[in-house]
Amino acid sequence: MTIVVNVSDAAVSDDVEDVLSTYSLGSCIGVCAYDPAAHVAGMLHFQLPSGAMDPQRAQQNPFMFADTGMERLLRLMAEKGADRRRLRVKLAGGAQMLNDNNLFNIGRRNQTAIRKVLWQYGLLIDREDLGGNSPRTLYMKVADGTVTVKSGARTAVL
Amino acid sequence: MGFRFLIVDDSATTRAIIRRTIRLTGVPADVILEASNGIEALQILTCEKVDLVLADLHMPLMDGVELMKHMQCDAALATIPVVIVSAEPNVSRIEELTKNGVRGHLRKPFTPESLRALIEETLGVAHA
């Protein structure tokens, strides 16, 4: 079954038949985390770097932000039996979208934010497809953690 | 059996970051030793077995270049691989060091992933 992760959203699955997917990754970043031993997959689609920017919004929807989103995602994955020390992490997104005149440089700031958050959790990034100017679509198979990124005509396995 | 590392940098913060990154890579690390300059590094190297040295270039008392020269002159130390982790902007200087035995170079500021790749490549360890 395909599980769609919306903007400012996350999903976790341990069903090997599932594929997690998310769309419209522009300046947003999609985080894929996978425990290969427990076959638990988690995907987060966050928009902004830090919940400190808007604590009320962060409380209402933690998945909007890199820090609160990762905290919640890791907790959800642990509840399904994932061990953080085994997690393989892959990232996609963080683009500079040409239609936002890059005033706030959100894509770049999201990249910095997620690197910092992952470091704090002791997680290294296995593969990444970040930056550029184009939106991305992201898929992750729960069966084996395979992550595929599509952007325009380009398709790549991370 | 794990590897034995020596981190040589006058910044305690940088040493801590490198130490933590080594732990996070999953590369088996029996011991991670630290020195704040080349002299301390040589003192450690003369009495401890080390599999990989990660050294800054610009340090007080004895810098990374002098440390390399001393290691190259000692038969017991000359075979220990050294990678430079430095903010040194001069590419030709780094290339010169590579000719003198440096096995790899990482420019500061670095990501932990790039340090992991350099360690794995230098030690010949496959990414887990």
Side-chain angles (χ1 to χ4, degrees):
Chain A
M1 182 174 87
T2 297
I3 298 174
V4 175
V5 175
N6 294 309
V7 177
S8 296
D9 189 19
V12 175
S13 172
D14 58 358
D15 186 337
V16 295
E17 300 290 326
D18 285 345
V19 175
L20 305 182
S21 64
T22 196
Y23 304 86
S24 306
L25 284 166
S27 58
C28 301
I29 290 181
V31 181
C32 296
Y34 187 69
D35 180 338
H39 295 286
V40 176
M43 182 182 282
L44 167 68
H45 179 147
F46 73 87
Q47 284 184 285
L48 294 170
S50 171
M53 302 164 72
D54 191 339
Q56 189 174 6
R57 187 81 62 92
Q59 195 158 21
Q60 289 165 355
N61 184 3
F63 300 129
M64 180 176 276
F65 306 95
D67 49 2
T68 52
M70 275 309 299
E71 191 270 329
R72 185 63 64 90
L73 179 73
L74 291 174
R75 203 186 320 156
L76 290 172
M77 292 185 73
E79 288 172 3
K80 287 215 179 274
D83 184 334
R84 187 191 303 177
R85 291 166 296 181
R86 292 195 299 252
L87 290 182
R88 313 304 294 262
V89 177
K90 299 176 183 178
L91 309 179
Q96 177 183 326
M97 301 306 291
L98 295 175
N99 58 355
D100 70 0
N101 73 12
N102 206 34
L103 183 65
F104 297 105
N105 212 358
I106 294 294
R108 195 81 194 148
R109 289 171 62 198
N110 280 341
Q111 290 185 40
T112 302
I114 192 62
R115 290 186 198 284
K116 183 178 171 185
V117 169
L118 290 171
W119 172 256
Q120 288 169 342
Y121 282 112
L123 296 169
L124 298 188
I125 302 164
D126 267 10
R127 297 280 189 273
E128 60 186 59
D129 185 347
L130 298 170
N133 304 112
S134 302
R136 294 171 170 87
T137 298
L138 192 60
Y139 305 92
M140 177 164 62
K141 293 182 184 176
V142 180
D144 59 7
T146 302
V147 173
T148 305
V149 181
K150 292 188 179 179
S151 182
R154 180 176 67 93
T155 300
V157 175
L158 286 189
Chain B
M1 177 77 95
F3 296 98
R4 299 170 64 88
F5 297 86
L6 171 61
I7 304 167
V8 191
D9 198 303
D10 59 329
S11 161
T13 301
T14 301
R15 294 197 306 267
I17 291 171
I18 295 175
R19 169 183 284 274
R20 184 157 192 250
T21 301
I22 292 171
R23 292 282 182 217
L24 292 180
T25 62
V27 172
D30 276 354
V31 165
I32 302 175
L33 302 162
E34 295 184 22
S36 59
N37 57 66
I39 292 178
E40 286 183 14
L42 285 174
Q43 288 168 343
I44 291 171
L45 287 166
T46 50
C47 53
E48 298 276 357
K49 180 183 178 298
V50 170
D51 298 303
L52 177 62
V53 176
L54 300 102
D56 190 8
L57 282 183
H58 304 290
M59 296 178 287
L61 299 180
M62 181 188 288
D63 64 21
V65 175
E66 282 302 311
L67 170 61
M68 281 296 306
K69 288 180 186 172
H70 279 81
M71 289 180 69
Q72 290 293 310
C73 291
D74 185 328
L77 304 185
T79 57
I80 301 174
V82 178
V83 299
I84 298 296
V85 184
S86 172
E88 173 60 58
N90 191 327
V91 174
S92 57
R93 189 159 184 234
I94 300 298
E95 286 172 353
E96 192 184 331
L97 287 169
T98 305
K99 290 176 193 167
N100 290 314
V102 164
R103 296 275 286 275
H105 169 242
L106 191 61
R107 182 109 176 256
K108 291 176 183 174
F110 56 86
T111 63
E113 290 76 21
S114 58
L115 181 58
R116 170 173 66 179
L118 184 61
I119 289 171
E120 290 176 344
E121 183 188 336
T122 307
L123 293 176
V125 177
H127 180 46

